[in-house]
Amino acid sequence: MKKRITIQYITIAVIAIILTLVLTIAVFYKVFTKEMINDLENYANILSSTGVFDISDDYTDVPEISGIHITLIDSDGNVKYDNMGGNKPDIGEAVKNGVGYSVHHSDTNGKNIFYYTEHLDNGMILCIGKESGCPAGILSYALPVIIFLIIVMASGSLVLAQLLTKSLIRPIENMAEELYDNNSVNVYRELTPFVNMIQKQHEDILKNAKVRQEFTANVSHELKTPLTAISGYAELIENGMAADNDVIRFAGEIHKSSKRLLTLINDIIRLSELDVMDQHVDKEEVDLYEIAYNCVSMLQLSADRHNVSIDICGKHETVFADKEMMEELVYNLCDNAIRYNKTDGMVYVTVDEYTDDEGTKKAVLSVKDTGIGISKEHQERIFERFYRVDKSRSKSTGGTGLGLAIVKHIVAQHGIEMSLNSDEGKGTEIQVIF
């Protein structure tokens, strides 16, 4: 990058030098041409005012002016006087307008000849000419100086480019070295959003890495518990240490731990699938009430087993969402409300219409229970993986601690809202607003 900046800087400097010199020569030559024509016009006025051309066929009194070509042409185009000889000037403009200007290039010496022509009162055409260098000649004459200046200025530009490049790159290098130190990063104001974005991404990466590390540790721990139970009971049966009446009980514990292990693995797999940010969400119009009704019917047996009553009310509301994910969302919310309820508790599932402050109508799903509730310090963390308010209760009811984490992912992927309202010892209500 430094080399590229240096080369570009020198290239710009050299081009600027050449263009400046060329434009300077062009402007100079234009001014010079104007001055030359003015001088020739003054010479013509002086000569015509002396009356030396008024005497017919006698031009011996015409003064000699060093470097000035004087030509006198009659009305028929015949040269009556020429002090130097050479090509006859173009007199067409003088005949037509009274005065004329022209520039002729001489192939012999490579110079330009400036002519001023004037129509005299006696009908003659007076031509005053003078040789001068052409732009190409001036440029070739100045070429050594131009080359010298280019070398000097290119060398100076090289030094300045290196210094400028270092001053430009140094803050960026410092940023790269101290990128993750929020207090010491000092960069250009234009790069501040870029630095902030990188720092935020770095923080997110660290956070995600920490979450995944904790998740891996929790998965290992959660899988270890039922596997240990299965292995222990199986070993007792294998070694003949279980009595006949204990075999049935041990088999039941093995079955219970196997179901818990299978449920845990299924939830882990599902959560891993939802973790894929680019997962395609196949949205369609679905009846939210119908999904909730089917879910309540499916969980009725589980509710009876936990001595909990579950009921649904509301009306049919159509939402644009992934049907399978909505079934998972409702199932996990209801299942969680059943597991963390009290004996003879209630679970109320409601699907209704909601109007926000701007007057927009939205569908809302509410799952409310009369269970143990959640204290304030736990409410912000209950959607984390494997986080349980009451760990002993969760394991006794067969919960994996991943249900609400799955709900959170589904809500995020659909871009919908979710709110939690809970009082410890009174119950919890979770609302999902579409």
Side-chain angles (χ1 to χ4, degrees), residues 204-252:
D204 291 340
I205 290 172
L206 292 178
K207 184 178 178 180
N208 290 334
K210 183 178 179 181
V211 170
R212 290 182 180 277
Q213 186 178 14
E214 292 177 353
F215 180 62
T216 302
N218 288 331
V219 166
S220 301
H221 176 74
E222 293 293 334
L223 292 176
K224 183 179 179 180
T225 302
L227 284 173
T228 301
I230 293 171
S231 178
Y233 287 124
E235 186 178 1
L236 290 174
I237 296 173
E238 181 185 19
N239 294 331
M241 299 177 65
D244 292 340
N245 57 340
D246 289 330
V247 173
I248 297 176
R249 182 170 62 85
F250 289 170

Side-chain angles (χ1 to χ4, degrees), residues 17-32:
I17 293 168
I18 295 174
L19 288 177
T20 301
L21 290 173
V22 171
L23 290 174
T24 301
I25 291 174
V27 172
F28 167 77
Y29 190 76
K30 185 176 181 180
V31 173
F32 173 77

Side-chain angles (χ1 to χ4, degrees), residues 10 14 30-31 56 73 86 89 108 110 162 171 188 190 194 196-197 267 288 302 317 322 339 391 399 425:
I10 294 174
V14 171
K30 185 176 181 180
V31 173
S56 179
I73 302 173
T108 305
Q162 292 178 343
Y188 301 113
E190 293 80 4
F194 174 70
N196 292 338
M197 182 182 68
D267 283 351
L288 188 60
S302 175
E317 288 290 337
D322 186 295
R339 292 180 185 278
K391 295 184 180 180

Side-chain angles (χ1 to χ4, degrees), residues 129-279:
K130 186 176 182 181
E131 286 186 346
S132 177
C134 62
I138 297 174
L139 185 62
S140 62
Y141 178 78
L143 189 60
V145 179
I146 294 174
I147 294 174
F148 175 76
L149 287 176
I150 289 176
I151 294 173
V152 171
M153 297 187 73
S155 301
S157 298
L158 178 61
V159 176
L160 291 176
Q162 292 178 343
L163 295 175
L164 179 62
T165 302
K166 288 182 179 179
S167 65
L168 289 172
I169 299 298
R170 181 58 59 84
I172 300 177
E173 291 177 340
N174 293 338
M175 178 192 73
E177 294 172 357
E178 304 170 353
L179 183 61
Y180 305 121
D181 187 351
N182 295 331
N183 297 323
S184 62
V185 176
N186 183 19
V187 296
Y188 301 113
R189 182 179 61 184
E190 293 80 4
L191 291 178
T192 300
F194 174 70
V195 174
N196 292 338
M197 182 182 68
I198 292 180
Q199 289 179 338
K200 186 177 184 304
Q201 289 178 344
H202 177 67
E203 292 173 359
D204 291 340
I205 290 172
L206 292 178
K207 184 178 178 180
N208 290 334
K210 183 178 179 181
V211 170
R212 290 182 180 277
Q213 186 178 14
E214 292 177 353
F215 180 62
T216 302
N218 288 331
V219 166
S220 301
H221 176 74
E222 293 293 334
L223 292 176
K224 183 179 179 180
T225 302
L227 284 173
T228 301
I230 293 171
S231 178
Y233 287 124
E235 186 178 1
L236 290 174
I237 296 173
E238 181 185 19
N239 294 331
M241 299 177 65
D244 292 340
N245 57 340
D246 289 330
V247 173
I248 297 176
R249 182 170 62 85
F250 289 170
E253 292 295 334
I254 291 174
H255 183 231
K256 179 180 177 182
S257 296
S258 299
K259 286 180 62 178
R260 172 172 168 75
L261 185 61
L262 183 60
T263 303
L264 186 61
I265 291 173
N266 287 334
D267 283 351
I268 291 171
I269 293 173
R270 184 56 182 148
L271 196 56
S272 298
E273 292 174 352
L274 292 172
D275 269 338
V276 180
M277 297 305 294
D278 59 351
Q279 181 184 9

